[in-house]
Amino acid sequence: MLRRCLAFAVSLVALGGSPSIAAQPSRPNVLFIVIDNVDYQYFGRCYGGTGLTPEIDRIAERGVTFTRAYAVTPLCVPSRYTCLTGRYASRYRGPDSAEDREADSEEEAGGRLTLESHLPNLPKVMQGAGYKTGFVGKYHLENETLLPKFGGAGTSVFEPAADAWLKQRNALLARRIQAHGFDYVFNALDFRNSQFKGIDFGNAHHNMEAETLGALNFIDENRDRPFFLYFSTHLLHLPIDPKLLTQDYEKYGRVTEGGLLDQAPQVPMKSRRRIYDDAAAAAGGRPSAQQAGMHWLDCGVGAVIRRLEERRLLDDTLVILFSDNNQRGKETLYEGGARVPLLMMWPKRLPAGSRCERIVANVDFAPTIFAACGVTPPHDMVLDGRSMLPILADPHAPWRDGLLLENGHTKAVVTDRWKYVALRYPADVQARIDEVDRTGRYPKLTRKAEIFFDKFRSTLTPEQWKFARNSWRWHTPGNNYMKSIDDFPFQFDADQLFVVEPGFKPQDARNVAADPANAAVLAEMKQKLAQVLAPLDTPFGEFKTIAARDDGGRPTTVRKKNKKKAR
């Protein structure tokens, strides 16, 4: 790793070193690409996967591939909240208007995060610093009840009533997004399926060409001034029907969540039919949803990068490509959920073909962008991460020795070698679990939860059901329904300890917390979790007490003598 990191140092010192980056007179553009639900294996060469991604591979070849990047809360909504605020989702303090508060009170358990209008965020700060700010694609940070629901039933997306309603709804959503710091909004999606009941989209759930068109238009309109573009794709979120790529583009290319476009977008991408055929050839037969969708995504990303090249903007544009969560363990804090693909390219500053193996996360994006652009955030803006530029310039630069991950009643800390996961239910939730275990009866659920509960139970053996029912996870605030018991049989253990291995193969396969040989490591990792939790001032089991006991809150590390191979 020393040799790889030295490549950064040579490149950046030649340009004046990392301290001068923020003081550079030029103001780089920023293209922040957030892709959806993408596993390492869906990529091509850059992550050693089986996907057909030549355009994304070129980003890696001309930039930095991160091997230890994390989404601190690996789920669509909180991950995007963190990307756009620089804060942990647990810092969210609820809606700040009467209208928002009323809507929030009607949400199901777990709620929905929104961007707080009274707090600074990434686009607002960039806008205030003179950047033109653009938004394209998936938002997923809006209160569902604040947007209208379609009143019809069985209505084709091509019928005037459905089209008019979609456009009205989209205009309202666009205004709300603009209020959070975006000058330009195109093809905004909020991904609330319940709102679209009654509208038949057929299989036209994605339109990568429309998203690409929005990005290209924004770049063209702002080519002569610094810009920040948040390009958030709907792909690879399911459902994806590869057959859509073979259907009449002039018809189905008009379909978006915001209504029908006047015509199918004419963008410099392969035709949908060719995308399908090339994906099929690479797959050796009929492509899966992920194989076809990933190549479709890749073609759109490539079109945007080429437009930057054509406008002679790419050399001084910081490009970030990040997946909001991994797929296999989505919603969990295991490596298959929280550890995610991340590429960065900045031809004028970062050396091509580099790798970074330090632990970074989406809390670091806002500080990194501010530092790269010479933007000073407001003094009252809470940022839980830090700029990545120093570790790209100096392999010995001080950096974190542990990162907090969180989701509801589960918190984790990950280091270079270990990961510790803690599950601690609040007293009221634990009381409900105990009552269910004692009586076998469940409190009243919403109809939606009952349907899910019954469907889920039918997929389990009696022993699995006994195990699963105690979790009480799918209707407790701040948590999500459980993942596969076969993949993560330890997910309801109070204390979980894992060895973190290099590479991108499935990990977190065995909980070694109970092994006496790991007792010292477990104790130190608990202490480290208390330390990384302390800045959030969030009660969590016994960990606040542990933090108070620690010697002045000074950082601790797992000592080498305790780094034994797990048994």
Side-chain angles (χ1 to χ4, degrees):
M1 186 175 78
L2 178 62
R3 180 182 60 81
R4 286 191 289 266
C5 289
L6 281 173
F8 289 99
V10 171
S11 175
L12 291 174
V13 168
L15 291 166
S18 60
S20 69
I21 289 177
Q24 292 290 325
S26 63
R27 308 187 74 194
N29 303 308
V30 179
L31 171 60
F32 190 177
I33 306 171
V34 178
I35 58 180
D36 204 319
N37 278 12
V38 182
D39 191 285
Y40 294 109
Q41 67 178 325
Y42 301 156
F43 288 88
R45 293 190 307 274
C46 61
Y47 280 112
T50 59
L52 183 59
T53 59
E55 303 291 349
I56 293 175
D57 290 340
R58 288 186 68 218
I59 295 176
E61 290 164 2
R62 293 185 287 179
V64 188
T65 301
F66 290 80
T67 64
R68 293 292 303 278
Y70 290 86
V72 294
T73 305
L75 185 62
C76 297
V77 176
S79 183
R80 291 159 193 276
Y81 174 89
T82 296
C83 286
L84 288 172
T85 65
R87 299 188 289 273
Y88 278 94
S90 62
R91 287 195 185 273
Y92 174 71
R93 290 298 177 260
D96 45 30
S97 72
E99 183 183 35
D100 283 340
R101 284 193 296 274
E102 181 179 357
D104 190 64
S105 68
E106 298 176 9
E107 288 281 351
E108 293 183 7
R112 300 283 187 181
L113 294 169
T114 60
L115 295 181
E116 302 96 330
S117 63
H118 66 295
L119 295 178
N121 62 42
L122 174 57
K124 275 185 178 179
V125 173
M126 295 298 284
Q127 188 181 56
Y131 274 72
K132 295 300 289 187
T133 54
F135 175 93
V136 176
K138 181 175 176 179
Y139 185 53
H140 216 168
L141 285 166
E142 189 54 81
N143 264 310
E144 182 173 356
T145 54
L146 289 178
L147 297 171
K149 294 186 178 182
F150 186 67
T155 305
S156 168
V157 69
F158 295 100
E159 293 187 21
D163 182 43
W165 179 84
L166 288 169
K167 287 175 176 172
Q168 178 187 18
R169 176 189 178 279
N170 191 257
L172 173 60
L173 176 60
R175 288 195 296 271
R176 292 183 66 84
I177 294 173
Q178 286 174 326
H180 291 299
F182 287 104
D183 299 306
Y184 171 99
V185 177
F186 187 91
N187 195 45
L189 315 170
D190 203 48
F191 204 66
R192 308 296 190 186
N193 290 340
S194 65
Q195 295 179 332
F196 301 104
K197 288 181 179 177
I199 298 180
D200 181 8
F201 282 84
N203 64 351
H205 300 292
H206 293 271
N207 193 331
M208 189 65 209
E209 291 81 5
E211 294 171 12
T212 302
L213 176 65
L216 298 179
N217 287 346
F218 177 80
I219 291 170
D220 288 344
E221 292 172 11
N222 297 283
R223 58 192 294 185
D224 297 323
R225 51 189 153 187
F227 63 75
F228 167 80
L229 174 58
Y230 181 77
F231 181 37
S232 176
T233 71
H234 191 184
L235 289 168
L236 283 175
H237 204 291
L238 297 174
I240 304 169
D241 185 351
K243 291 181 180 178
L244 175 62
L245 294 170
T246 69
Q247 294 173 340
D248 181 3
Y249 179 62
E250 295 306 316
K251 177 180 180 180
Y252 291 99
R254 297 176 59 210
V255 178
T256 75
E257 191 180 287
L260 298 176
L261 301 175
D262 292 338
Q263 63 176 12
Q266 303 303 305
V267 290
M269 290 172 58
K270 293 180 184 178
S271 70
R272 287 187 178 183
R273 180 73 223 198
R274 185 179 169 192
I275 290 171
Y276 179 89
D277 290 343
D278 288 352
R286 181 181 299 174
S288 68
Q290 286 80 12
Q291 289 168 327
M294 194 67 189
H295 188 44
W296 194 8
L297 168 65
D298 183 73
C299 290
V301 170
V304 176
I305 298 298
R306 285 194 301 275
R307 181 58 55 89
L308 291 172
E309 289 180 298
E310 292 165 0
R311 301 303 187 212
R312 298 183 179 180
L313 299 172
L314 182 62
D315 281 353
D316 205 15
T317 296
L318 172 61
V319 179
I320 300 170
L321 187 145
F322 168 81
S323 180
D324 62 350
N325 52 255
N326 207 318
Q327 180 57 48
R328 173 177 173 264
K330 178 179 179 178
E331 305 163 23
T332 76
L333 304 184
Y334 307 124
E335 296 291 278
R339 189 169 168 183
V340 294
L342 169 63
L343 304 174
M344 288 177 61
M345 176 175 67
W346 189 6
K348 193 174 180 179
R349 295 287 184 270
L350 302 180
S354 302
R355 292 171 75 86
C356 181
E357 297 172 359
R358 307 295 288 271
I359 294 174
V360 301
N362 52 343
V363 289
D364 299 322
F365 290 141
T368 300
I369 291 169
F370 293 151
C373 298
V375 172
T376 302
H379 67 88
D380 60 343
M381 184 176 188
V382 174
L383 292 170
D384 288 315
R386 60 190 75 177
S387 169
M388 291 181 266
L389 296 183
I391 63 170
L392 300 183
D394 178 5
H396 304 294
W399 193 244
R400 61 170 62 93
D401 60 0
L403 174 71
L404 171 67
L405 309 175
E406 60 175 6
N407 190 18
H409 306 317
T410 309
K411 313 284 184 186
V413 61
V414 60
T415 67
D416 288 342
R417 171 66 171 160
W418 296 95
K419 177 185 285 182
Y420 169 64
V421 180
L423 172 61
R424 299 291 188 271
Y425 292 116
D428 61 326
V429 176
Q430 187 62 55
R432 280 184 278 167
I433 294 173
D434 295 342
E435 180 68 10
V436 168
D437 206 34
R438 185 180 67 82
T439 66
R441 297 192 303 270
Y442 295 84
K444 182 180 179 181
L445 307 178
T446 65
R447 179 58 182 159
K448 181 179 178 180
E450 287 177 345
I451 292 172
F452 175 80
F453 208 63
D454 291 341
K455 181 179 179 181
F456 181 72
R457 180 175 185 173
S458 68
T459 68
L460 302 180
T461 65
E463 185 61 29
Q464 287 175 324
W465 173 248
K466 181 180 178 181
F467 175 76
R469 70 176 187 168
N470 287 319
S471 73
W472 207 243
R473 295 189 70 176
W474 42 81
H475 53 284
T476 54
N479 243 322
N480 302 286
Y481 50 82
M482 61 174 293
K483 301 299 288 185
S484 167
I485 292 173
D486 294 330
D487 285 341
F488 308 111
F490 38 72
Q491 64 189 288
F492 301 122
D493 293 352
D495 296 302
Q496 305 165 35
L497 184 67
F498 307 95
V499 177
V500 180
E501 302 286 355
F504 309 111
K505 63 184 180 181
Q507 299 198 34
D508 296 348
R510 188 164 67 96
N511 178 11
V512 299
D515 189 332
N518 297 319
V521 174
L522 179 63
E524 291 198 39
M525 291 299 285
K526 284 186 174 183
Q527 191 175 58
K528 188 172 291 293
L529 177 58
Q531 290 168 0
V532 295
L533 271 170
L536 299 184
D537 196 25
T538 302
F540 183 70
E542 72 277 19
F543 289 93
K544 195 165 187 179
T545 303
I546 291 176
R549 265 200 327 259
D550 187 38
D551 186 14
R554 291 196 297 268
T556 61
T557 58
V558 178
R559 293 187 295 273
K560 288 185 178 181
K561 67 180 182 180
N562 289 328
K563 292 185 177 181
K564 299 178 181 179
K565 184 176 180 180
R567 297 179 181 176

